[in-house]
Amino acid sequence: MARACIFCGSESDLNREDLWPKWLVKVVVQDRPSEIERTIGSEDSPHVYRGKWLKGRGVCAPCNSGWMSNLEVSVKPILEPVIFDSPSSLDYVQQLGIAIWTLKTAMVFECLKGAANVDAMPGEVFYSAADRQHLTQWSTPPPDSFVWLGRYEPEFSLWAQNDRLSNAQPQGFFDEASATTFAMGRCVIQTLTVPRIPRTSNDLQTRPIRHGESMWNDALNSDLARSQ
């Protein structure tokens, strides 16, 4: 099956997209020796890549050089001060920009797990085509998504981790969720998406997602963006 752009569905002119934006690698990693470790699912040991660039073929050239490039340009001056631990006050527009960037980056990282071939490997992909279209068409995170931003103290580094979560209860409004965490210098961002399951196919009732009692809310003042 032909690969397709994870955002627009185009099967032509696919790029090897940098999963970590080049500007981010340059400001965090700089000229230090580095390597990339990748672990997917239940693998016992990580795959190790020498160097600091990691690419995935899942985005077409028009998306890469169009709205995605514009998003990087707009978010870079917002994130850079936070990465270097400079006090920053973020207004709503800046918070929304970071939230969109975070979800976009989480979706791009799924390229490593087969997202560019979603019809052939649906079990490897959490975010649906509708989620990705929602992000690009409405410039907002997909429904039932949360994004938190905070200060990262352990080290000045660059790493990402994705965790798939499932509901152990036999009944409920939630089936599975995905949490992706990004550490960038002194900044840490986490996104959590928890799709709600309707009782019936026509059930459109709103059900709030409670997240007040959590490690994030103990450590941070507030979440960046929330879509319900």
Side-chain angles (χ1 to χ4, degrees):
M1 180 174 292
R3 288 179 175 269
C5 175
I6 63 173
F7 291 108
C8 72
S10 174
E11 296 181 1
S12 61
D13 208 8
L14 292 184
N15 275 357
R16 283 183 58 80
E17 161 72 3
D18 290 295
L19 302 186
W20 284 121
K22 289 182 178 179
W23 71 265
L24 184 57
V25 174
K26 290 178 180 178
V27 301
V28 177
V29 181
Q30 301 175 9
D31 295 327
R32 292 175 294 167
S34 64
E35 63 183 25
I36 296 171
E37 293 186 1
R38 173 176 69 89
T39 304
I40 296 177
S42 58
E43 294 176 346
D44 293 331
S45 59
H47 297 279
V48 179
Y49 302 84
R50 303 300 175 184
K52 54 187 177 182
W53 310 107
L54 185 61
K55 295 179 180 289
R57 191 182 299 277
V59 178
C60 68
C63 282
N64 189 28
S65 61
W67 69 269
M68 294 175 68
S69 177
N70 294 335
L71 180 61
E72 296 294 341
V73 170
S74 65
V75 169
K76 179 182 176 182
I78 304 172
L79 280 179
E80 267 194 304
V82 182
I83 289 172
F84 287 102
D85 215 9
S86 298
S88 301
S89 177
L90 305 178
D91 60 26
Y92 174 79
V93 174
Q94 293 171 319
Q95 293 178 36
L96 179 59
I98 293 176
I100 296 170
W101 180 89
T102 303
L103 266 299
K104 180 275 298 181
T105 306
M107 292 173 179
V108 169
F109 263 82
E110 283 197 315
C111 291
L112 286 179
K113 298 188 289 183
N117 205 4
V118 294
D119 292 332
M121 304 175 66
E124 298 293 335
V125 180
F126 176 81
Y127 291 103
S128 66
D131 291 330
R132 297 189 288 268
Q133 291 171 4
H134 183 98
L135 182 80
T136 57
Q137 293 180 6
W138 298 100
S139 296
T140 58
D144 302 323
S145 295
F146 303 82
V147 178
W148 293 268
L149 181 147
R151 184 175 186 271
Y152 184 65
E153 295 185 350
E155 58 187 355
F156 193 89
S157 62
L158 184 64
W159 59 264
Q161 176 177 321
N162 175 260
D163 296 289
R164 293 282 286 271
L165 312 173
S166 61
N167 184 5
Q169 301 299 322
Q171 295 181 345
F173 299 136
F174 311 114
D175 184 13
E176 63 175 6
S178 178
T180 306
T181 307
F182 300 101
M184 303 169 293
R186 293 300 182 189
C187 169
V188 61
I189 306 178
Q190 184 177 76
T191 177
L192 171 68
T193 301
V194 191
R196 281 173 271 198
I197 303 174
R199 291 175 178 171
T200 68
S201 59
N202 296 322
D203 185 6
L204 300 178
Q205 179 182 356
T206 298
R207 302 183 183 89
I209 297 176
R210 297 182 180 179
H211 64 292
E213 297 180 1
S214 68
M215 177 185 69
W216 277 102
N217 286 84
D218 291 339
L220 305 176
N221 291 327
S222 63
D223 53 304
L224 273 186
R226 177 174 58 190
S227 176
Q228 291 192 17

